[in-house]
Amino acid sequence: MGIKPLLTKDFATENLKQLAVYEKTGGYTGFKKALEMQPDALVDLVKASGLRGRGGAGFPTGNKWSFLPKGMYPRYLVCNADESEPGCFKDRYLMENSPHQVLEGILIASYAIGCNLAFIYIRGEYLPQTEALEAAIDEARQAGYLGKNVLGKGYDLDVILHRGAGAYICGEETAMLTSLEGYRGEPRLKPPFPAVKGLYGKPTVVNNVETVCNLPHIVLNGADWFKAIGTPTGSGTRLWCMSGHVNRPGNYEMENGTPIRELIEEHGGGVWKNRKLKAFQPGGASMMVLLPEHLDVGLDFDAIAKAGSLAGAGAMVVMDETTCMVDAARRYVKFFEHESCGKCTPCREGTYWMANIFDRFEGGEAKVGDIDLLLDIGYNIDGRSFCPLGDASTWFPRSVIKFFRDEFQEHISEKGCPFKKSVQEAVA
Amino acid sequence: MATVQTDQVTLTVNGQSVTVPKGTLILDAAKKVGIDIPIFCSHPKMAPVAVCRMCLVEVEKMPKLQPACAVYVAEGMVVKTTTEQVNKYQKGVLEFLLINHPLDCPICDKGGECPLQDQTYQYGPGASRYQFDKAHFDKSVPLSDKIVLDRERCILCWRCTRFSEEISGERELALIQRGVHTIIGTFNDEPAQSAYQGNWTEICPVGALTSRQYRFISRPWDLDRTPSVCPGCSMGCNIQIDARNNKIGRFQSRENVAVDDSWLCDFGRYSFPNFQRQSQERPRIRRGGRLEDVSYDEAIAFTVDGLKRAGGQAAGWASPADTNEELLLFRRLFRDVLRSPHLDHRSATVVDAEPGDMTLSIADIERLEHVVLLGGQEVIDAAPVLHLRLFKSQRKGVTVLKVGAGQVAEAVAGVSPDCTAVGILATEANKAAAVDLQTKLQRKIKGSVRRLIVTTGPNGRGAKDLGILPHLGPGYVALNGQAGTGRTEWPGAGLRALYVHESSPLHGFTPTDAESMWLPTVPLLVFHRFKPSPLDEMAHVILPGHAFTEKDGTVTNMEGRVQRIRKGIDAAWVREDWLVFQEIANQLGASWSYESVGQITSDLVRGLPPYMAVNQEARVLWSERP
Amino acid sequence: MPLAKPTVTQIQELAARYPSKQSAIIPALWAVQHEQGYVTDAAMSEIAQHLGLPPSLIEATASFYSMFLTRPEGRHDVVICVNAPCMLRGADEMAAYLERQLGVRDGATTSDGAITWHSTIECLGACGGAPMMQVDHRFEENLTPERIDAIIERLRTDPLPGPPHKGEGVEAPTPNKGEDVAQPKKPARPRARKN
Ligand SMILES: Cc1cc2nc3c(=O)[nH]c(=O)nc-3n(C[C@H](O)[C@H](O)[C@H](O)COP(=O)(O)O)c2cc1C
Ligand code: SF4
Ligand code: SF4
Ligand code: SF4
Ligand code: FES
Ligand code: FES
């Protein structure tokens, strides 16, 4: 347990971005090995490794691949590099430090599923990362890793780097496909699932950046090696994006199952300014808040779910005792209001309504009934929305009301935020 | 027999067991046992999108509520639509929809027939818990000269944008911006060009899209509704005439899957002002060069007098908007009573009509492999709703080939030899080319080739079937040796009288240059019509008649489907047109004794058995003629 | 202003690149924004024409995404994140400082036409370096008032527009000279909410 650099082990190497340097660290040997294997054997290998998707839902990657209907071509792979979950910045880190690792993962996944055209959907705001990937793709194409007859093995593959333009919802896989097809990034009805009817109506696999970055290592070292890392239901490591009130925020690649306490206290250097921990939020903006009593929970999909939150996309937002939980919830709700695609009624209208109420708390005009009203609106959105964005917009605020109801009450009785220091004061 | 029916699924809805075909939506299965699930975005003609979330129901073994409009039934499914959870949630969705909805029902055109209003009443929350300003949007955006959009009332159900995408394929309406800012609009708010905009107003579940013509004219509950057929063209789309105080407020669609598939075109829908009566008119006759008001009896006597003198030299023109019943009497008046063969309903001479012109039905277009639109857009312009059928067919995989009327060779080249079913659509003017194409294709491909000739007017087909032609009798029998002259030959044919019967200003007798010179020389011009026209100036007798929208009867569309039209407006001071024909005939020596339109219809069927089809509003099948 | 030749060529190449030409809409909008600095209705019409698609489709897509600008902005684009993780590390204070130093409101352009700034609730993926901002799409992390001062100074004196201009042979867009300083960013259309 503890820090375990697997994907990030060579990140200290200078110029890792360059193909030659990446190759020197063992880069593309995984792909070369994969090319010697039968695609089906690769799928089985990834299944056996227990690798679960790192995009948020934690779905077993090998299983996802095996859902593709037999004999239906073309098939597409879309690498999800839309990372927009507030609190997450791991895919960015992977792309800017080692774009070739991302590409190698994409090559392996494409070969395994029999795809000849792969896409990387990267969020519009990640311009430097787009440039890094662009350069890597050019290099790889020149070196024969991409194009017709890859490495002389009779396999064709091209990669299109597609830049988004500012829409969190496009991280949701079906919305991503809609967006990639040139439309508004609105999620689609499931079923049919992308594996059956995805991009351009063809069988499609969507995999997160971090997910594919695991593939070269699994191919090189084997399923057993990977399974031996982490927990029984959570093989491998994850990059945790630590932010908020810690001394050393940043990305930490941790073996799955490591206690949260170790991440925050040891690697993050503990809560800053010698203050006390009030709460933390794993997973990202969507996920429920946890309390100091949960510090010994392991960094693992199942363990965090058991504790009442979700590991999601690997954020770890730390909040000290001075944090106004109402304001934190307000920001997230406003984020969801801003990012709601507007397709379905509960999310479109509900997030707008919740945001209005939160503003009322902030402005000191909230009424006693507003707390329960928020809960009730949350109830009417959660599980009723078209896609998980709507549902998730209610999770953090409702968990905050559950654990910190008194703070809401104080906002009402004190007609404003009891924590608010004057902004001017702090700046001056 | 113990066969396993694998295509049927049995489920229960609120404890009631129901068996439906596989691929049925929960919504429709529930409807089958009389359980109504409230909906907004779902529309039977469009693919499910499940965006409004109004129809969520409980399905056992599924953790979340499921949209009944988008989830298909499965064997053994247990659906509950009235649980506490569902009820609470329905209130919740309505509450969400209403937070930004102005609820200005009293001044809304949809008031009284608005699903949002109804459901708010039935399932909705009581007092509003929403205490903020509603989001404000533009309230009166002119989308075109026909449609106005109220963006505050819009509940973003996507029906109109889906129509634009899936039904008409014009992709003119789109969603713009996102989240709570989302609005409906055309590109840059430029005027919409679609020929099918009226449908948007019908499918909009709120008063966001409304017709400018209808704005605030009436409240839905004040309307008299009469099922009828569109007077616009030979498509024969089914309509409902909505009238108030005996004035037409609008034409609404009335679904007939075989014909209109529940849509209308704007030309037809907004043609109703043409059928509005301005004043009460009386018959007139010309005395000493001037028209003077007289009674019907006087005008009829005057007419009889003139016709008697003309005898076989009298010509009759009945409009292709007349009913079959009128046409039957009109034909008998000329052929049997006056013994004149000079009958026509056309405006130009075209290649002979024949039953082969309608071997292809409208609905069958969807089942073809290939369809050739000979004349391209011209065919669509002649019957706009055809485009919707063609687009639907195209989405189902039918290849639609549009070629110019002269491009028979290209059309032949465009169809592959192993094609199994080809259809040809053309207007009457291009019939010769269509027949030519059909012959050539028949030689080239192994499958069937059928054609459908688009006739003119809502009953152009009936006029042909019934023999309102100079050389054909009822049922397309040749008048061997007894053929008369057709309309284009009349000037210079030495005729002594002309009787023009016209039920619709859309399909009237518009004189050509030659006719304008000839008409003043005709000794007797009887003009039996609904609306004044320049022809009044030349007429010796003007007999006010009923409009298409004011009478009962039947009309036959391009494909030979016989459908009923009904009196939507009552102009009681106007004598029934058929009665006038009967009185004229009787004064000329006949002894007809029809007492109702129904009796004429019966006679019509007796004389022309394929018209039995009228009883099912089906197509006349000439091949099965006894 | 019609699109420049290289942009048109780029759009045509994009259309050929994807399995469906419609997929080229977003890249085409980027190409237009790189050339002209923002996306006008006329440009959307032109894209529609080159891609053979109805213009409503282009507007529907363009208006969905928050990064396509509908009016000219300053030479440099400064976006500061104020979502919760950044807020925890003082983003509000930095935003207030930025506003004071630039002297214009959130969403506006400085009178010298150098900088358009706005705050965003969209996490920009640098919470680990909060407070942060994106300056011409490059990350500036661990902001302090001093760092902000230095950045502003650099931008004010940089005569060239910041965002990337990829279309070869394409002239840099004419920046907003600060004429509509008072006007907030974003909506060009009667966007709606007035409260
Ligand atoms: C609202 C929403 C936003 C999402 N954003 C992202 C994202 O930014 N990046 C990502 O990889 N997955 C995101 N996901 C998850 C994807 O839908 C999908 O599950 C994932 O990309 C699959 O890849 P994986 O199996 O490798 O995890 C999001 C899901 C939702 C519902
Ligand atoms: S929940 Fe509905 S409105 Fe919200 S993002 Fe998903 S589909 Fe769009
Ligand atoms: S205008 Fe009417 S039909 Fe169109 S989305 Fe709005 S409510 Fe639905
Ligand atoms: S197609 Fe013809 S019948 Fe149908 S609505 Fe239009 S005009 Fe009327
Ligand atoms: S009717 Fe089912 S979601 Fe709208
Ligand atoms: S919250 Fe500001 S960058 Fe993530």
Side-chain angles (χ1 to χ4, degrees), chain B residues 186-469:
Chain B
T186 54
F187 174 67
N188 200 17
D189 277 347
E190 284 167 10
Q193 306 288 324
S194 169
Y196 310 95
Q197 300 174 26
N199 298 302
W200 304 343
T201 67
E202 283 198 56
I203 56 177
C204 181
V206 293
L209 287 164
T210 49
S211 284
R212 304 181 94 171
Q213 272 183 343
Y214 180 70
R215 282 201 107 190
F216 312 126
I217 288 173
S218 180
R219 310 301 295 172
W221 54 81
D222 291 335
L223 292 171
D224 300 318
R225 298 157 193 264
T226 312
S228 192
V229 172
C230 173
C233 78
S234 63
M235 187 83 187
C237 299
N238 292 192
I239 61 165
Q240 170 181 292
I241 303 172
D242 283 354
R244 185 194 182 197
N245 297 335
N246 225 16
K247 199 166 166 357
I248 305 173
R250 63 182 178 186
F251 288 165
Q252 292 281 84
S253 71
R254 186 166 62 87
E255 181 182 13
N256 183 337
V257 281
V259 181
D260 46 63
D261 211 13
S262 85
W263 312 119
L264 296 180
C265 75
D266 291 342
F267 173 72
R269 180 189 301 271
Y270 297 121
S271 68
F272 73 84
N274 289 296
F275 298 93
Q276 230 55 293
R277 264 195 191 274
Q278 318 299 346
S279 56
Q280 289 198 13
E281 252 196 311
R282 292 186 55 201
R284 277 174 291 170
I285 56 177
R286 196 174 293 277
R287 277 203 189 112
R290 290 195 36 196
L291 286 170
E292 51 187 67
D293 283 5
V294 292
S295 68
Y296 266 98
D297 291 340
E298 242 177 301
I300 288 171
F302 188 95
T303 305
V304 168
D305 204 38
L307 286 177
K308 213 179 271 170
R309 259 177 276 146
Q313 296 297 98
W317 190 87
S319 85
D322 287 2
T323 64
N324 288 319
E325 289 70 15
E326 289 166 344
L327 294 174
L328 174 71
L329 298 198
F330 196 71
R331 186 194 75 220
R332 287 175 56 190
L333 172 64
F334 278 81
R335 294 255 159 84
D336 305 346
V337 181
L338 288 167
R339 307 232 161 250
S340 160
H342 309 299
L343 267 179
D344 214 339
H345 72 281
R346 303 165 304 179
S347 301
T349 308
V350 287
V351 177
D352 287 357
E354 55 192 319
D357 291 345
M358 39 183 159
T359 46
L360 175 64
S361 73
I362 293 168
D364 270 352
I365 296 174
E366 285 175 36
R367 291 177 270 279
L368 296 171
E369 206 176 313
H370 207 109
V371 51
V372 181
L373 216 57
L374 197 63
Q377 187 58 32
E378 179 186 306
V379 183
I380 303 289
D381 291 344
V385 166
L386 261 184
H387 162 72
L388 304 183
R389 183 71 67 168
L390 285 165
F391 187 67
K392 185 179 180 194
S393 309
Q394 223 169 346
R395 281 174 60 97
K396 281 188 163 179
V398 180
T399 310
V400 177
L401 185 64
K402 288 191 185 185
V403 294
Q407 295 176 292
V408 172
E410 285 86 337
V412 176
V415 182
S416 88
D418 51 2
C419 223
T420 53
V422 181
I424 300 165
L425 293 172
T427 57
E428 286 178 288
N430 295 321
K431 174 173 162 174
V435 174
D436 181 29
L437 173 60
Q438 190 172 12
T439 317
K440 288 181 171 142
L441 278 177
Q442 201 70 78
R443 250 181 269 141
K444 176 174 178 182
I445 73 157
K446 65 175 195 310
S448 69
V449 185
R450 289 177 285 167
R451 71 172 185 266
L452 177 57
I453 300 297
V454 178
T455 43
T456 308
N459 199 26
R461 178 63 67 199
K464 293 173 215 302
D465 288 352
L466 289 168
I468 310 298
L469 288 166

Side-chain angles (χ1 to χ4, degrees), chain B residues 136-137 171 176-178 188, chain C residues 41 56 59 63-64 189 192:
Chain B
H136 288 293
F137 295 84
R171 299 206 274 185
I176 297 156
Q177 289 150 190
R178 76 167 183 225
N188 200 17
Chain C
D41 287 332
S56 61
E59 190 185 8
S63 63
F64 185 86
R189 285 260 286 211

